[in-house]
Amino acid sequence: REQSAKRDLLKRITAATTIQASYRSRELCQRKSRARELELEKRATAATTIQAMTRSWMCRRESLQRREEAHQVQVVITRTASSVAIQSMIRSWKSRRVCLQRLEQNRHIKDEREAIAATTIQTMARSWRCQSELSKRIIIAQEFDLKRKLIAVTKIQAVARSCNCRREQSAKRDLLKRITAATTIQAS
């Protein structure tokens, strides 16, 4: 019986060790996942910064080009006063305006794509958080169930030991009564 109890205890200890190892492994995976998320956020921030710097540089360059073109228009108008030069500048301006409109459209499309990507990432993060919380709750429920089972097993063992003890005590009392009776008969 003691060996059986020892085997049961060894099984419980092994099960507890397995659960602990599994929990530690899950925690390590979650930490790695968090590190990956932080790295993605850093990369997204870096990309945004680079994009902002590029747009700023393009704006400054375009502004300088416009100033230079305006100066050139003045020079052409004052020197030649030719309608051909004016028409050329107007065609150039219209062409740039079309290009700017296309750039603006492309920027809007890019902004929409980035918004969709951000929404997707947020959805994935919320899903991961929800799954993580659900896993934690399942583990807590399993631990609670295991504790309940351990208490039940302990109670069953106590009742069994109590019954065995009572049987042994009853057998000892019967034996004592028989010995006493035999002694009384022999003495008479």
Side-chain angles (χ1 to χ4, degrees):
R1 289 181 187 166
E2 289 180 8
Q3 288 179 348
S4 175
K6 285 180 181 178
R7 272 188 250 126
D8 287 344
L9 179 61
L10 183 60
K11 285 180 183 177
R12 282 191 219 112
I13 289 171
T14 304
T17 305
T18 303
I19 290 169
Q20 290 170 350
S22 175
Y23 180 76
R24 283 189 207 105
S25 172
R26 180 160 182 80
E27 282 294 315
L28 180 63
C29 287
Q30 288 175 349
R31 286 183 194 145
K32 285 181 181 178
S33 178
R34 288 182 193 132
R36 276 187 249 125
E37 288 178 10
L38 290 174
E39 181 62 27
L40 285 175
E41 288 178 10
K42 285 180 184 178
R43 287 183 182 182
T45 303
T48 304
T49 304
I50 290 169
Q51 290 168 357
M53 290 174 67
T54 303
R55 284 192 295 272
S56 172
W57 176 77
M58 288 174 67
C59 253
R60 278 187 257 125
R61 191 176 79 182
E62 185 178 328
S63 176
L64 287 173
Q65 284 177 349
R66 284 184 183 175
R67 286 182 195 155
E68 185 178 306
E69 289 170 3
H71 178 68
Q72 289 174 358
V73 168
Q74 285 295 328
V75 169
V76 169
I77 289 174
T78 55
R79 286 190 185 167
T80 61
S82 166
S83 64
V84 173
I86 294 171
Q87 290 171 355
S88 172
M89 294 302 286
I90 289 173
R91 282 192 300 272
S92 173
W93 177 76
K94 285 181 180 179
S95 173
R96 281 191 197 93
R97 195 169 91 195
V98 168
C99 286
L100 286 175
Q101 287 173 347
R102 287 181 185 162
L103 284 174
E104 185 69 20
Q105 287 173 347
N106 289 341
R107 188 177 60 81
H108 283 300
I109 291 170
K110 184 179 178 185
D111 288 347
E112 289 175 4
R113 287 180 183 164
E114 288 176 354
I116 290 169
T119 303
T120 303
I121 291 170
Q122 290 170 350
T123 302
M124 290 171 62
R126 282 192 298 269
S127 172
W128 176 82
R129 260 190 262 134
C130 186
Q131 289 173 356
S132 175
E133 182 64 28
L134 181 61
S135 294
K136 287 177 186 177
R137 288 183 181 180
I138 288 172
I139 288 171
I140 289 170
Q142 288 173 344
E143 288 174 355
F144 177 76
D145 189 42
L146 182 62
K147 286 178 185 177
R148 230 177 14 141
K149 286 178 182 177
L150 285 174
I151 290 169
V153 166
T154 305
K155 285 183 181 180
I156 290 169
Q157 289 174 345
V159 168
R161 282 193 299 271
S162 175
C163 286
N164 286 340
C165 186
R166 282 189 212 127
R167 262 190 255 130
E168 288 175 7
Q169 289 295 324
S170 177
K172 284 179 183 178
R173 270 190 246 120
D174 289 343
L175 182 62
L176 186 60
K177 284 179 184 178
R178 286 182 193 160
I179 290 172
T180 306
T183 308
T184 306
I185 292 174
Q186 285 178 356
S188 330

